[in-house]
Amino acid sequence: MPDIRPLLEELQKIAITELGEVPERIAEDLHVLKAWIRQQPHLKACMEDQFLIQFLRGSKYSLEKAKEKLSNFYTLSAKSPHLRSMADVDDPTFRRVHRTGCLTLLPTPLMEHGPRIIVEQVTFGPHEFTSDEISRYVWTIAEIVLQSDPYACIQGLVIVMDFSKVTLQHLHLLSPKMLLEVMMYSEKALPLRIKRVLVLNCPSFVQTLLNFALSCCSEKFQKRIHVSDGKNIEKFADVFPKKYLPRDFGGENSSVADVCREFEKVIDAFRDYFKRNSECGIDEILRLEENNFNKNTEFGAGGSFRKINVD
């Protein structure tokens, strides 16, 4: 039997109807993906069921998409080390970044049973951390989420970004190169569906960088980004009622401090996971030439993972 966490009934129904999951065939689906991984001399991937099933779910059970996302997950982070996860989640700097509350996963999903809500803020000084330290923290949390959060894994994410405290001095943390890498990684490698991004208090200099990064993303992804130069969340009320924000933002969805404190326990639970998988990655010398990664390649080619059952 696959070593995966069972889903709540309402989430399992969504996984079946929207993602094409067939619970009785999960073991077979994972076996096929693992067999492909073993055939890739350059790829040393985590082989744990809970990790791999999200690449299947995040690709709606298309084998080709799952393979590409998994390969990109390791290839892009090898090319851009700030995208790599931490090997040691007890690293003091990692914990200090977490305790600033710069990234918060709110306890109640949108509309009670919808996507997981993440609030991102600039809660640190411009020279308190390096851009690499911030980025590695974010992607380590993302790797935890894709294995621990059933609402994020099945329903996806809604990200609320608040730039109210960002200054021109923070710009060295937001280089165009890093923004492009983050956008590509989010769209082409992370097996979590980003349903919507709401950007609040966006100053003109951040808007310029954001426009540049979005110009390199697919039109589908661009349409999911909604930007406001103020903090008026009410303008998004039809898709995001304010009550789902934390109390810090005038909502009813816990508080940033409380959420960060509780999430430390989740991080602790993944301590051994990151140690076990710290050597996973890509060895480009061993990569087969025909599979060589090219960042200009259009990812996401289709491909049926299995035949569709038709009654």
Side-chain angles (χ1 to χ4, degrees), residues 197-212:
V197 179
L198 308 179
V199 182
L200 306 178
N201 298 301
C202 188
S204 58
F205 57 88
V206 174
Q207 178 77 71
T208 300
L209 284 173
L210 186 60
N211 290 341
F212 168 72

Side-chain angles (χ1 to χ4, degrees), residues 4-5 26 35 184 187 244 259 299:
I4 60 173
R5 298 181 183 89
I26 288 175
M184 178 177 284
E187 188 175 6
Y244 290 101
V259 171
F299 297 105

Side-chain angles (χ1 to χ4, degrees), residues 16 25 71 93 103 122 145 169 178 223 266 270:
I16 292 170
R25 293 171 62 170
S71 182
T93 300
L103 188 154
V122 179
V145 169
Q169 290 182 303
M178 174 172 280
K223 288 181 178 178
V266 181
F270 276 83

Side-chain angles (χ1 to χ4, degrees), residues 76-96:
L76 291 174
S77 62
K79 290 177 174 291
S80 305
H82 67 89
L83 300 172
R84 297 184 72 89
S85 299
M86 297 291 297
D88 181 11
V89 296
D90 291 315
D91 176 81
T93 300
F94 175 85
R95 294 288 180 149
R96 281 198 302 116

Side-chain angles (χ1 to χ4, degrees), residues 25-94:
R25 293 171 62 170
I26 288 175
E28 178 185 346
D29 296 340
L30 287 169
H31 175 77
V32 172
L33 183 57
K34 288 178 182 179
W36 173 80
I37 293 170
R38 294 188 182 100
Q39 293 169 0
Q40 311 308 307
H42 68 291
L43 177 60
K44 185 177 181 181
C46 170
M47 298 290 274
E48 297 180 25
D49 292 345
Q50 193 66 54
F51 174 81
L52 291 177
I53 195 172
Q54 189 53 34
F55 285 86
L56 299 176
R57 288 170 171 167
S59 304
K60 296 186 177 181
Y61 284 84
S62 161
L63 177 58
E64 293 308 310
K65 289 182 180 179
K67 291 191 298 185
E68 287 178 9
K69 276 189 178 291
L70 185 61
S71 182
N72 294 342
F73 184 85
Y74 289 110
T75 301
L76 291 174
S77 62
K79 290 177 174 291
S80 305
H82 67 89
L83 300 172
R84 297 184 72 89
S85 299
M86 297 291 297
D88 181 11
V89 296
D90 291 315
D91 176 81
T93 300
F94 175 85

Side-chain angles (χ1 to χ4, degrees), residues 260-290:
C260 286
R261 185 167 52 252
E262 285 300 306
F263 201 78
E264 294 244 18
K265 300 173 186 176
V266 181
I267 295 172
D268 291 343
F270 276 83
R271 180 181 289 113
D272 291 341
Y273 163 82
F274 284 107
K275 289 179 180 178
R276 285 196 307 273
N277 293 289
S278 61
E279 299 302 318
C280 291
I282 293 283
D283 185 342
E284 291 293 350
I285 295 176
L286 298 177
R287 187 192 290 268
L288 300 176
E289 184 176 354
E290 61 267 27

